[in-house]
Every structure is written in structure tokens, then in C-alpha cells.
Amino acid sequence: PYIHSEWYLTSRQVLALQFGGEPFQRSIIESSGYQLAMKEDALVVQGWKADGTNYEISGFYQAAGNTEGTTNDYGTNGKAVTEYALVVDVMATDNVFAPFNHILNPVQWAQLQASFYSTAAIREYDVVRAFIGGEIFMTAALTAGTGLYMTLPGLGYHAIAVGANPAQITEELDLVDGDKGGVLGSVFECLAPVVYQANAICTVTGI
């Protein structure tokens, strides 16, 4: 599906720009780029609901073929490593092995950053990252208390199909008095998550 975000300059702003009366506010467009990135995260991680209720395209979380639901609160030292060991057992059943990427909600990502493994000298974040052989990411597209373990991209298990790279189009509206008219811009892209082997993705739900 296409995802997009719009920005708008009123006719007053356009005229001010033309006559040097007002500097161009790049933040207007940058904010649209940020909103597009948030929509991209939601699409890739959770999926796309054409009717707002049912997933027509499943993201990586919805399409995961494995799940590990033991309660291991990342706010407790050592629990992230314990959870990883359980995920390894689940994935090994389907002959899927590290390296993995680990994706977290910002709450659990922050908890992992603040946790220590065994002693205060060893950060648990570093231990987990060394074990998985990949990277640890965070996204608000995941609900707090949940996460993902995934094999690395490029191995044939899953991919992101890109139909159109991020781009921007603008349309000049009629310049009239007041706040009507102006310039309308749209930042957009077209992409979709694709899962070839669902068992190469494992959700974790008790962290």
C-alpha cells in the first residue's frame, strides 16, 4: 500500500516567501517526513488494515510463526538473557538459529539499557547483543511488554518489498487573499512486509 503524509503552506506564507518577508520553515516538511517514518514502522511491524479493523497485510509481528510467552520482565536484571535462552529453544525446534535482530517497545528498550547482568560492571544490553549476533532496535509500533526476535534480513526468510521509494510531490493552489490557496505537498512511499518463513520470526509477550 501507499503511505503518505501531507504538508501545506498558505497563500500568505507563499507570498511572504516570494517577497523575502519570512524564512522558509523546513520543519513543516521535516515533520511530514517524520510522520511518514512512523507510518512505515506501523506497516512493517504490525501490518495494514484497509477497513481499519482487519489486517489485509500482516506485518512481521502479526505474521510471526513462533511465540514465547514466559514472564521475564526486562525491568529486572538478568531477565532479558533468560528470555533469549527461551527464544533460542523455540526457534531451534524449527531449525532456525542466530544471528537475530531484537525489536522492542521503547519502554523495554530503556529497561534493557538500564539493566546489568551478573554484576554492575556488565551491561545486559551488551550481553544480549553479543548473544544474538545482530542489532537491538526499538519502535513505538510494538505494544509495551512485547517484542520480536527475527533472523537477519537478506537470508530469504522475510523482506520488505518496495514499490516506490520515498518521494515528494507538490501542487500549487490558487493564490488568493487570506489563507486559501497556497502550496500542498505530499511525502509518500509504497512498500509491504513479506514473510516467506513465518517460523523465522518469534514474538515475545511477557517482557
Side-chain angles (χ1 to χ4, degrees):
Y2 275 93
I3 53 176
H4 56 89
S5 179
E6 282 72 39
W7 56 268
Y8 174 62
L9 292 177
T10 68
S11 59
R12 290 178 183 272
Q13 291 173 309
V14 173
L15 290 171
L17 287 170
Q18 290 176 341
F19 291 100
E22 179 181 339
F24 181 63
Q25 298 296 317
R26 290 177 54 88
S27 60
I28 296 174
I29 298 177
E30 291 169 351
S31 177
S32 289
Y34 170 80
Q35 293 299 324
L36 183 71
M38 295 293 288
K39 292 179 179 180
E40 178 184 303
D41 264 15
L43 171 60
V44 170
V45 174
Q46 296 293 351
W48 180 62
K49 300 176 181 178
D51 60 1
T53 303
N54 302 301
Y55 284 104
E56 186 168 325
I57 296 176
S58 293
F60 293 138
Y61 189 89
Q62 301 299 326
N66 278 312
T67 188
E68 207 300 302
T70 305
T71 299
N72 282 302
D73 187 347
Y74 275 28
T76 302
N77 291 347
K79 290 298 185 179
V81 172
T82 300
E83 181 62 29
Y84 172 69
L86 294 173
V87 169
V88 168
D89 287 344
V90 170
M91 300 289 266
T93 302
D94 294 306
N95 292 311
V96 178
F97 306 99
F100 300 120
N101 283 332
H102 191 18
I103 307 171
L104 295 168
N105 174 275
V107 173
Q108 277 64 53
W109 187 88
Q111 290 174 335
L112 183 57
Q113 287 280 351
S115 293
F116 292 94
Y117 179 69
S118 177
T119 70
I122 304 175
R123 296 175 64 239
E124 191 166 15
Y125 179 94
D126 296 330
V127 175
V128 172
R129 190 168 178 269
F131 278 150
I132 66 177
E135 297 294 337
I136 302 172
F137 301 98
M138 69 170 170
T139 173
L142 283 172
T143 303
T146 67
L148 276 174
Y149 274 98
M150 302 176 60
T151 52
L152 301 190
L155 300 179
Y157 294 113
H158 47 75
I160 297 176
V162 179
N165 288 319
Q168 177 176 264
I169 57 174
T170 59
E171 177 184 2
E172 186 173 350
L173 307 176
D174 291 336
L175 291 179
V176 297
D177 292 336
D179 288 334
K180 297 180 180 179
V183 176
L184 177 66
S186 179
V187 183
F188 68 92
E189 64 179 323
C190 178
L191 75 164
V194 181
V195 176
Y196 302 109
Q197 176 52 270
N199 290 336
I201 305 173
C202 183
T203 64
V204 288
T205 59
I207 58 173

